[in-house]
């Protein structure tokens, strides 16, 4: 059994394949091909949720993506819990487990429903008015409470175990929507041979042909024709057909994003299948065939379970073979609901009455309904619905007032007319135009190379739709350079046609009433709320929308926007176009974060860069830190050392004997060419023309505004060749900065720039024994102090491989930096390490490197500077070429503010208590007794415990710092004020004798 | 995502390959050190930020790596044309909206 309301012989699903599923723990049977909605309805279940604000019982409004009510949680396992799934979209599979949301303790008895009784408190603007004061309470008290009580599903609390893939695609013609119009357009375009993609959000193509029993095309039933056409399209090499694929975003230059649900409908998806696939399609032409969405009637208690759109009831019957009730009522202002009544009546369902707001409509469907013996009431309104957990009756009254009559029903099918789906058109920045005659917004002015066809274009009737769509598909293909189509246009043999309907509240829910006639089901907005918003001064529809939240739920007002607009316009006494339509934005339907993130998560979120020496450090048990994308060895703990002990030992050993440090992450740029020196003169503050080949210089790079941008040691290898180093994090932007000037400001210079960061592994060997460690391995380089003085560079060989050997120091000790091709990095490191072992050398990490450089007062750009520090502020005036007439930053540096007195200058700080280590970022004040907020005169930029100095050391930017030598300043902290003395920046070996020690 | 035509590659490529580099046709003075405060302010700080046509620099960062100039309509976000660095401001714009 697949449900008592399944009608034998109706629908298109095979009765053979049953699927078991559960809802709120109760077990049911459905059929493969069902949606969760159709399967529940087949079992007579209408009550599936509680509403967002009032916790009112809700059922299914629709049979598709526009569903505002039937949101459930689908749970595959503990990590695969998806909240807010539309039951009308979720395909059934054997074992599916769904739960209702937003109710406690149960769906039938929900404590939150007290909000419904207290509803005057929850009217329009409620959130704004009630929770605005005190402001602080919003974050801590109101918002969490509202979130907890409101009807939002519960987010999963475990990482998503599924994977999501992404594809880029290009095509000539992209057709969005696979109903009659989309299929006709795709056929016309495909027959010319151009590349076509046809996408539809449903599992099966056909659109409204799923329920339109009166459609016949090329001699077949409409839906059967659609399946045959899709099979033909799928067989063509130039066509890609995507089902379960929702176009959710339309961006510039015909760039369309679609999400394809690959495995949510499968019982056992298998690990190799992605859950969803994001398609990013660039199309030369787009054909929008997105159809139209039926509107509900706005009357009192129109949200009771069992009250749904007429087309939904038809879909459940004609496609799924399910009757939505046994004794249904119909309430309409439009012909299309008659077709639902006729189909249900023919299937053996009692139709209690059709209530039609129109006075004396005529037409074939009305005649047919009458001939079937259905009671029809013209000029009447349904003024209320009875029942709570399920509709039990409808109360009917002449629309201008008079005697009431209550008719027992177990379902009400309603139709106020159809709203063209202009969402994607509007996203494409096209402007909609209001057709006053049909009361519809239809595509007006186009902004991109696209065209709308069929119901979304306001085209009525199947014949007209297919004519328009086929012509548009052929033209789109032709516009991309295709020849004329060779196929034949599908021929419509029979079709249905619908008239217009109405907008706004129906009689009985007018301005004089206080009933709950819902406009927006998902956000619980009633006709009264919209009127109230206007009465409280909202004039623009954008304001009405935000004040009432009409159309702001995840359904984006697919069923509610036009009603809301009409009620606002009526209340304002203005025509609809003057009040305006709200803007449609992506996504058309909710999109998972997973599909947007795709594979870019975990290790693939961002590249991880590792040096050639990384495996060695890892094997030694190094602790790593992230520096930008790089993993850098932070410290090398030995025998249970904590970080503090390891760093102390590393620092002391470097100064006592020697240390090896992996400096490979330093940025490296090769500046080559006849004008290389001229270029360097312009990009750095220092003079370069006279630097001899074989010598190095510490260079400072500024931005044009005069602030320090980067620094590094530069070696001149030859008159036309510089080996430039940059900070670890700065390499890409320094390269960009150099290229920018070379290409655009100094294009006359004959210079080539090459990033060589990853070409060289760099091993720093620092300490008194450094030369003894390196020398035995080096060939072709005289390593005496005379031949290779501090700040020089030579090319030669080490361990038999080429090297650029720098004599330089970032520790203040005699030091070298051995550059070797990266592939040899680890082998050379291991050879140096073996030599180092003989002298008791240590490997040291970035933390010890930082301490050692701070002991010497060497700055780190980006730590001791922050983009507002000039060379003078940093005490680096000596590095600025005084005779130079041009370099980037020369003018900026001379700006009045940058040469003014009292600027923050980099100085050393010594705590009065040598054991106290300051916190980096801590603020410095002159008078700790002043009132809060204190006047802050600077902040700590670097601070460490220095085992070599036997005390703490710190660098700080302090206003007028260099004039404060010896002054006592204060660093207020939560647990007390720390006294500090302003000192020079060099804490160790002030005379710099150890560089040659 | 926009498509941008690189005048060096002579191809339309996705925006992801490019990086904006600020307003175009702002020349750095050959005697920048001698500029007045006002002139330096104009050169370094003042940008036009128009509603409509803007001349700007882009770099084909993940392509040929060249800097070039582009004309874009800030209202429609459409690129009207691109041209090589160093070329003068175009006298005529194809398909300008105003
Ligand atoms: Zn290029």
């Amino acid at each position: 059994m697949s449900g008592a309301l399944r009608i034998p012989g109706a629908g298109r699903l095979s009765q053979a394949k049953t699927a078991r599923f559960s809802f709120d723990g109760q077990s049911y049977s459905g059929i493969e091909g069902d949606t969760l909605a159709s399967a529940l309805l087949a079992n007579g279940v209408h009550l599936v949720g509680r509403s967002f604000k009032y916790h009112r019982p809700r059922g299914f409004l629709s049979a598709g993506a526009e569903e505002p009510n039937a949101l459930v949680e689908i749970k595959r396992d503990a990590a695969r819990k998806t909240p807010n799934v539309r039951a009308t979209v979720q395909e059934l599979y054997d074992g599916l487990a769904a739960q209702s949301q937003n109710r406690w303790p149960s769906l039938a008895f929900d404590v939150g429903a007290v909000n419904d009784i207290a509803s005057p408190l929850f009217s329009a603007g409620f959130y704004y008015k009630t929770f605005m004061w005190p402001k602080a309470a919003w974050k801590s008290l109101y918002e969490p409470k509202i979130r907890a009580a409101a009807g939002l599903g519960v987010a999963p609390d475990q990482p998503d175990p599924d994977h999501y893939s992404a594809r880029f695609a290009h095509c000539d013609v992209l057709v969005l929507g696979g109903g009659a119009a989309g299929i006709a357009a795709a056929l016309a375009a495909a027959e010319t041979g151009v590349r076509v993609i046809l996408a539809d959000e449903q599992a099966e193509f056909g659109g409204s042909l799923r329920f339109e029993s009166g459609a016949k095309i090329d001699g077949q039933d409409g839906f059967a024709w659609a399946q045959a056409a899709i099979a033909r399209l799928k067989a063509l090499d130039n066509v890609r057909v995507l089902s379960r694929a929702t176009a959710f975003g339309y961006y510039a230059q015909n760039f369309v994003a679609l999400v394809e649900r690959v495995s949510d409908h499968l019982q056992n998806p298998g690990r190799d299948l992605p859950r969803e696939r994001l398609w990013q399609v660039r199309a030369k032409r787009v054909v929008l065939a997105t159809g139209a969405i039926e509107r509900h009637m706005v009357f009192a208690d129109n949200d009771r379970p069992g009250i749904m759109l007429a087309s939904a009831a038809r879909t459940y019957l004609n496609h799924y073979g399910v009757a939505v009730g046994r004794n249904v009522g119909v309430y309409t202002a439009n012909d299309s609901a008659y077709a639902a009544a006729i189909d249900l009546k023919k299937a053996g369902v009692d139709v209690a009455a059709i209530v039609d707001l129109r006075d004396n409509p005529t037409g074939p469907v009305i005649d047919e309904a009458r001939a079937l013996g259905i009671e029809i009431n013209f000029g009447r309104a349904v003024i209320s619905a009875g029942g709570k957990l399920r509709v039990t009756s409808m109360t009917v009254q002449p629309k201008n007032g008079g005697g009431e009559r209550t008719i027992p029903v177990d379902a009400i099918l309603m139709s106020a007319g159809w709203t063209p789906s202009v969402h994607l058109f509007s996203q494409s920045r096209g402007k909609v135009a209001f057709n006053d005659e049909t009361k519809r917004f239809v595509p007006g002015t186009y902004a991109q190379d696209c065209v709308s066809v069929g119901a979304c274009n306001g085209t009525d009737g199947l014949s007209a739709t297919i004519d328009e769509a086929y012509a548009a598909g052929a033209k789109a293909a032709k516009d991309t350079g295709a020849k004329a189509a060779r196929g034949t246009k599908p021929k419509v043999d029979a079709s249905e046609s619908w008239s217009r309907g109405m907008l706004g509240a129906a009689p009985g829910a007018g301005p004089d009433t206080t009933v709950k006639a819902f406009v927006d089901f998902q956000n619980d907005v009633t006709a009264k709320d919209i009127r109230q918003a206007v009465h409280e001064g909202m004039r623009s529809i954008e304001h009405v929308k935000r004040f009432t939240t009409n159309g702001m739920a995840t359904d984006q007002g697919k069923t509610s926007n036009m009603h809301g607009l009409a009620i606002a316009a009526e209340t304002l006494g203005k025509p609809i176009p003057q009040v305006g339509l709200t803007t449609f934005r992506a996504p058309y339907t909710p999109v998972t974060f997973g599909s947007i993130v795709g594979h870019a998560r975990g290790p693939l979120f961002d590249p991880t860069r590792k040096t050639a020496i990384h495996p060695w450090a890892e094997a030694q048990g190094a602790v790593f830190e992230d520096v930008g994308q790089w993993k850098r060895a932070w410290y090398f703990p030995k025998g249970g050392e904590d970080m503090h002990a390891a760093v102390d030992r590393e620092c002391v050993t470097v100064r006592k004997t020697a240390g090896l440090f992996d400096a490979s992450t330093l940025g490296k740029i090769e500046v080559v060419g006849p004008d290389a020196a001229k270029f360097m003169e312009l990009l750095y503050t220092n003079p370069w023309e006279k630097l001899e080949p074989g010598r190095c210089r510490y260079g400072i790079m500024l931005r044009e505004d005069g602030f320090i941008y980067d620094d590094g040691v530069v070696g001149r290898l030859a008159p036309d060749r510089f080996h430039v180093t940059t900070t670890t994090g700065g390499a890409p932007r320094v390269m960009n900065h150099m290229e920018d000037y070379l290409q655009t400001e100094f294009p006359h210079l004959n210079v080539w720039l090459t990033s060589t960061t990853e070409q060289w592994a760099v091993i720093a060997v620092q300490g008194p024994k450094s030369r003894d460690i390196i020398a035995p391995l080096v060939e072709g380089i005289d390593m005496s102090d005379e031949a290779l003085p501090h700040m020089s560079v030579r090319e030669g060989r080490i361990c038999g491989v080429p090297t650029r050997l720098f004599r330089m120091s970032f520790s203040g000790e005699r030091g070298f930096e051995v550059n070797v091709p990266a592939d040899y990095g680890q082998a050379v490191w291991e050879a140096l390490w073996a030599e180092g072992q003989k002298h008791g050398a240590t490997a040291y990490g970035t933390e010890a490197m930082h301490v050692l450089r701070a002991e010497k007062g060497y700055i780190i750009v980006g730590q001791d500077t922050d983009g507002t520090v000039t060379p003078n502020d940093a005490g680096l005036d000596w590095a600025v070429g005084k005779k130079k007439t041009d370099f980037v930053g020369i003018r900026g540096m001379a700006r009045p503010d940058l040469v003014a007195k009292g600027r923050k200058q980099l100085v050393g700080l010594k705590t009065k208590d040598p054991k106290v280590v300051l916190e980096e970022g801590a603020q410095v004040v002159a008078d700790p007794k002043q009132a809060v907020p204190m006047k802050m005169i600077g902040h700590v930029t670097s601070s460490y415990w220095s085992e070599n100095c036997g005390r703490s050391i710190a660098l700080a930017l302090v206003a007028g710092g260099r004039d404060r030598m010896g002054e006592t300043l204060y660093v207020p902290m939560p647990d007390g004020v720390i006294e500090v003395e302003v000192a020079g920046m060099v804490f160790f070996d002030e005379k710099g004798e150890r560089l040659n020690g | 995502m926009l498509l941008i035509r690189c005048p060096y590659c002579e191809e339309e490529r996705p925006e992801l390959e490019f990086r904006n580099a600020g307003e175009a046709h702002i020349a750095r003075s050959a005697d920048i050190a001698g500029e007045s405060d006002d002139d330096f302010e104009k050169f370094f700080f003042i940008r036009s930020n128009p509603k409509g046509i803007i001349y700007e620099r882009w770099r084909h960062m993940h392509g040929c790596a060249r800097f070039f100039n582009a004309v874009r309509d800030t209202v429609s976000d459409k690129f009207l044309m691109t041209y090589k660095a160093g070329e003068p401001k175009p006298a005529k714009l194809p398909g300008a909206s105003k």
Side-chain angles (χ1 to χ4, degrees):
Chain A
M1 271 304 290
S2 60
L5 284 117
R6 193 82 63 176
I7 300 195
R12 303 187 179 95
L13 310 186
S14 152
Q15 285 283 352
K17 300 178 192 165
T18 60
R20 304 283 308 165
F21 70 101
S22 72
F23 178 63
D24 279 350
Q26 169 97 36
S27 223
Y28 298 99
S29 221
I31 309 179
E32 241 177 57
D34 261 330
T35 59
L36 176 58
S38 67
L40 282 168
L41 287 169
N43 286 280
V45 178
H46 277 261
L47 172 64
V48 282
R50 288 274 174 172
S51 73
F52 177 68
K53 204 159 65 174
Y54 302 130
H55 290 245
R56 285 169 67 105
R58 290 284 166 83
F60 307 96
L61 179 73
S62 75
E66 69 270 34
E67 179 60 36
N69 284 335
L71 306 180
V72 299
E73 178 186 280
I74 305 285
K75 184 176 175 183
R76 282 186 189 266
D77 54 44
R80 291 181 175 84
K81 281 194 304 187
T82 312
N84 303 325
V85 174
R86 286 156 294 159
T88 53
V89 171
Q90 174 66 50
E91 292 170 59
L92 195 67
Y93 52 82
D94 195 47
L96 182 145
Q99 284 222 310
S100 58
Q101 301 178 160
N102 189 31
R103 82 289 186 270
W104 185 85
S106 76
L107 188 54
F109 177 74
D110 175 16
V111 167
V114 68
N115 287 4
D116 195 17
I117 298 155
S119 63
L121 294 173
F122 292 90
S123 60
F126 158 72
Y127 297 111
Y128 296 104
K129 292 176 200 159
T130 313
F131 297 117
M132 282 314 283
W133 187 90
K135 230 176 174 176
W138 176 254
K139 220 175 133 189
S140 59
L141 183 64
Y142 298 145
E143 202 197 354
K145 291 276 180 229
I146 292 169
R147 291 259 176 237
L152 304 167
V154 181
D157 53 7
Q158 293 184 29
D160 187 345
D162 289 319
H163 69 102
Y164 299 78
S165 72
R167 289 281 296 271
F168 285 93
H170 297 260
C171 65
D172 296 301
V173 180
L174 170 64
V175 182
L176 301 174
I183 292 171
L187 284 170
E191 283 157 0
T192 69
V194 300
R195 294 170 304 163
V196 174
I197 296 178
L198 168 64
D200 191 86
E201 65 188 351
Q202 307 265 4
E204 286 168 293
F205 284 79
S208 61
L209 297 172
R210 287 199 307 164
F211 61 80
E212 268 191 50
S213 50
K216 280 218 159 27
I217 307 170
D218 288 343
Q220 298 178 76
D221 157 66
F223 188 80
W225 168 82
Q227 306 320 302
I230 291 299
R232 283 215 318 278
L233 286 165
K234 278 184 175 166
L236 296 173
D237 288 340
N238 58 319
V239 179
R240 186 189 288 283
V241 175
L242 296 173
S243 58
R244 301 187 177 92
T246 304
F248 66 82
Y250 194 138
Y251 305 95
Q253 289 166 298
N254 276 354
F255 188 67
V256 177
L258 303 97
V259 65
E260 180 188 4
R261 290 169 298 280
V262 180
S263 58
D264 270 356
H265 63 291
L266 300 175
Q267 183 188 358
N268 293 306
R271 300 290 297 168
D272 54 336
L273 270 187
R275 181 174 171 223
E276 293 176 335
R277 183 178 291 126
L278 178 72
W279 288 85
Q280 295 176 76
V281 181
R282 180 84 64 181
K284 287 186 187 150
R285 292 290 183 280
V286 173
V287 178
L288 296 167
T290 49
I293 293 172
E294 198 169 23
R295 290 186 304 276
H296 58 281
M297 297 294 288
V298 179
F299 63 99
D301 300 326
N302 58 345
D303 62 328
R304 294 305 185 202
I307 305 180
M308 63 169 64
L309 299 174
S311 60
R314 262 189 114 188
T315 304
Y316 290 121
L317 178 71
N318 294 339
H319 192 76
Y320 300 102
V322 174
V324 299
R326 296 184 193 280
N327 175 38
V328 306
V330 174
Y331 184 24
T332 188
N334 163 35
D335 275 0
S336 67
Y338 281 81
I342 291 163
D343 286 351
L344 280 158
K345 179 79 181 175
K346 284 181 177 168
V349 174
D350 290 336
V351 179
I354 294 175
V355 180
D356 193 330
L357 260 185
R358 297 173 297 177
D359 284 325
N360 280 301
T362 54
V365 282
I366 295 162
D367 297 342
E368 189 178 356
R370 197 174 280 128
L372 286 166
I374 300 173
E375 177 194 327
I376 303 174
N377 301 276
F378 291 139
R380 283 179 162 71
V382 173
I383 55 161
S384 70
K388 210 156 176 96
L389 301 181
R390 174 80 184 264
V391 64
T392 53
S393 65
M394 58 182 189
T395 300
V396 180
Q397 190 185 37
K399 68 180 179 186
N400 298 319
E404 294 176 11
R405 175 185 155 211
T406 296
I407 305 170
V409 293
D410 62 358
I412 301 175
L413 321 182
M414 53 186 172
S415 178
W418 294 78
T419 307
S421 289
V422 294
H423 305 77
L424 290 173
F425 168 78
S426 175
Q427 284 187 32
S428 80
R429 293 193 174 196
K431 293 241 181 325
V432 292
F434 190 70
N435 181 323
D436 208 38
E437 197 194 329
T438 60
K439 303 279 180 231
R440 294 187 292 207
F441 280 103
V442 291
T445 315
Y446 283 81
Q448 300 203 36
D449 290 329
C450 65
V451 59
S452 301
V453 295
C456 73
N457 196 35
T459 303
D460 296 316
L462 191 54
S463 268
T465 288
I466 287 198
D467 285 354
E468 177 180 69
Y470 195 80
K475 181 175 185 304
K478 189 164 171 255
D479 289 347
T480 70
K483 296 185 198 86
R486 290 183 304 264
T488 33
K489 189 171 72 181
K491 188 170 164 294
V492 176
D493 306 313
S495 72
E496 302 176 356
S497 86
W498 306 323
S499 58
R500 280 140 204 177
M502 57 110 48
L503 291 171
D512 50 336
T513 64
T514 58
V515 298
K516 280 205 186 75
F518 286 92
V519 174
D520 179 332
F521 294 101
Q522 201 177 353
N523 266 353
D524 270 352
V525 181
T526 64
K528 180 173 157 272
D529 290 331
I530 296 191
R531 291 185 197 109
Q532 191 189 331
V534 173
H535 292 318
E536 294 198 16
M538 308 301 140
R539 290 293 174 267
S540 144
I541 194 65
E542 295 287 355
H543 290 154
V544 171
K545 165 181 158 177
R546 281 157 184 79
F547 195 67
T548 61
T549 72
N550 190 58
M552 287 175 71
T554 56
D555 72 336
Q556 288 211 18
K558 290 184 178 65
T559 49
S560 63
N561 277 343
M562 288 306 296
H563 281 320
L565 177 56
I567 295 166
E570 186 193 14
T571 314
L572 282 162
K574 281 186 183 173
I576 283 174
Q578 276 186 34
V579 182
L581 188 63
T582 54
T583 314
F584 293 103
R585 299 183 200 284
Y588 172 69
T589 49
V591 174
T592 61
F593 283 113
S595 66
I596 292 168
V597 170
H599 291 300
R601 53 190 263 192
L604 297 180
F605 175 69
D606 200 28
T608 300
R609 301 173 80 185
K610 292 176 180 173
T611 72
I613 296 147
H614 187 93
W616 184 90
E618 212 166 23
Q620 294 288 313
V623 177
F624 291 88
E625 69 166 334
D626 291 334
V627 181
Q629 293 172 332
W630 288 102
K631 293 279 174 202
R632 299 198 73 181
W634 196 9
Y635 56 95
F636 292 83
K638 266 187 176 175
E641 279 177 336
D642 62 6
M643 176 172 172
H644 191 76
V647 172
D648 284 354
R649 173 182 51 73
E650 289 170 19
C651 288
V652 168
T653 311
V654 170
R655 298 214 186 279
K656 207 168 91 198
T657 55
L660 268 67
F661 174 70
D662 180 3
S664 303
T665 65
L666 278 183
K668 294 169 276 287
I669 297 167
E670 194 100 337
V671 179
V672 184
D675 297 322
K678 271 191 196 140
F679 181 73
M680 291 297 293
E681 290 273 346
L682 285 165
L683 267 291
Y684 283 83
T685 61
N686 321 63
W688 300 96
E689 295 273 18
K690 290 191 178 137
L691 182 71
E692 283 171 33
R695 297 308 304 258
C696 305
R697 182 160 285 165
Y698 168 73
I700 299 176
M701 172 178 273
L702 306 183
R703 296 187 310 213
E704 204 70 86
D705 57 11
F707 294 127
I708 295 175
Y709 191 51
D710 203 73
D711 69 348
V713 170
V714 177
R716 189 171 197 173
L717 298 165
D720 63 350
R721 184 176 292 265
F722 290 84
H723 178 119
V724 174
T725 67
T726 75
T727 54
T728 290
R733 62 182 161 81
V734 169
M735 185 73 182
N736 186 65
H737 178 83
M738 285 183 167
E739 279 287 352
D740 192 350
Y741 278 95
L742 180 60
Q743 289 183 34
T744 66
E745 295 293 351
F746 314 131
H748 55 282
L749 297 181
N750 190 353
V751 175
W752 289 90
L753 305 171
T754 309
S755 166
T756 54
T757 302
E758 305 215 333
Q759 270 57 52
W760 297 105
V762 184
I763 303 159
V765 186
Q766 305 274 310
K769 299 284 183 196
S770 53
R771 181 168 56 185
D772 301 339
I773 293 169
I774 297 171
L777 305 175
V778 170
E779 296 163 63
I781 300 173
D782 181 348
M783 293 197 57
S784 68
D785 282 347
E786 296 70 38
L788 186 65
H790 179 57
M791 293 304 263
S792 56
V793 59
R794 295 288 178 274
E795 290 180 276
R797 298 184 89 76
I798 187 166
C799 306
V801 304
T803 182
R804 286 180 181 175
L805 181 63
F806 285 75
R807 170 106 189 252
M808 57 182 278
S809 176
F810 200 45
S811 65
E813 300 296 320
R814 169 188 290 277
F816 300 87
E817 287 193 2
V818 180
N819 287 251
V820 292
D823 287 350
Y824 300 116
Q826 181 156 344
V828 173
W829 173 284
E830 281 169 1
L832 285 165
W833 178 245
E835 284 298 321
Q837 295 286 75
K838 297 175 190 167
H839 300 275
T842 183
Y844 66 103
T846 49
E847 187 64 18
M849 177 270 283
H850 275 110
V851 177
L852 292 166
R853 65 92 199 174
E855 288 172 351
K856 292 297 299 174
Y858 299 150
I859 67 159
I860 289 192
V861 169
Q863 176 167 346
D864 300 302
T865 72
D866 60 4
T868 66
V869 175
T870 67
N872 183 282
D873 297 341
L876 296 171
D877 250 355
W878 58 266
V880 179
K882 300 291 174 301
K883 288 179 193 155
K884 291 176 70 169
T885 56
D886 197 2
F887 58 81
V888 174
I890 191 168
R891 179 63 186 82
M893 226 171 62
R895 288 184 290 146
D897 284 359
L898 272 61
V899 295
K901 278 224 168 305
R903 284 187 61 81
K904 286 183 185 171
Q905 293 171 327
L906 208 53
V907 292
L909 291 185
K910 285 181 174 168
T911 50
K912 289 279 164 79
D913 176 352
K915 295 258 181 297
V916 172
V917 181
L918 294 169
E919 239 177 70
E920 288 176 357
Q923 297 293 321
V924 179
V925 303
D927 171 13
K929 297 205 171 71
Q930 61 185 306
V932 176
M934 297 187 184
K935 182 177 165 51
M936 295 174 283
I937 60 167
H939 68 275
V940 178
T941 61
S942 290
S943 176
Y944 310 94
W945 171 257
S946 165
E947 189 69 11
N948 285 314
C949 299
R951 60 158 301 124
S952 73
I953 58 170
L955 299 176
L957 279 165
V958 177
R962 288 200 291 274
D963 294 331
R964 294 180 187 267
M965 287 300 146
E967 226 177 85
T968 299
L969 296 176
Y970 303 88
V971 177
M973 298 299 289
D975 49 359
V977 174
I978 302 167
E979 261 185 274
V980 298
E981 185 190 311
V982 181
M985 286 168 65
V986 185
F987 298 93
F988 188 85
D989 181 31
E990 271 187 63
K991 289 181 181 154
E993 290 162 342
R994 299 180 65 90
L995 287 169
N996 292 306
Chain B
M1 185 165 50
L2 300 170
L3 286 177
I4 302 173
R5 182 179 173 80
C6 173
Y8 294 96
C9 296
E10 298 184 341
E11 240 190 278
E12 281 199 324
R13 306 293 304 167
E15 189 185 343
L16 282 176
E17 294 181 10
F18 297 85
R19 186 180 292 175
N20 184 283
E23 194 167 353
H25 300 295
I26 296 171
R28 186 179 187 272
S29 166
D31 178 27
I32 194 165
E35 261 188 331
S36 68
D37 283 342
D38 284 351
D39 285 347
F40 183 75
E41 182 192 35
K42 273 187 206 124
F43 159 69
F44 189 73
F45 293 104
I46 307 300
R47 294 296 180 266
S48 60
N49 193 26
K51 180 179 179 181
I53 302 299
I54 188 169
Y55 296 81
E56 57 191 3
R57 306 187 320 132
W58 284 77
R59 186 179 184 201
H60 194 184
M61 191 75 194
H62 305 290
C64 64
R66 301 293 295 266
F67 284 84
F68 60 89
N69 294 326
V71 190
R72 187 170 57 92
D73 186 332
T74 59
V75 177
S76 68
D77 210 18
K78 275 190 179 142
F79 279 81
L80 302 181
M81 66 179 295
T82 58
Y83 51 103
K84 291 176 179 175
E87 288 179 3
K89 256 189 194 182
K92 265 192 181 170
L93 297 177
S97 60
K98 276 154 247 129

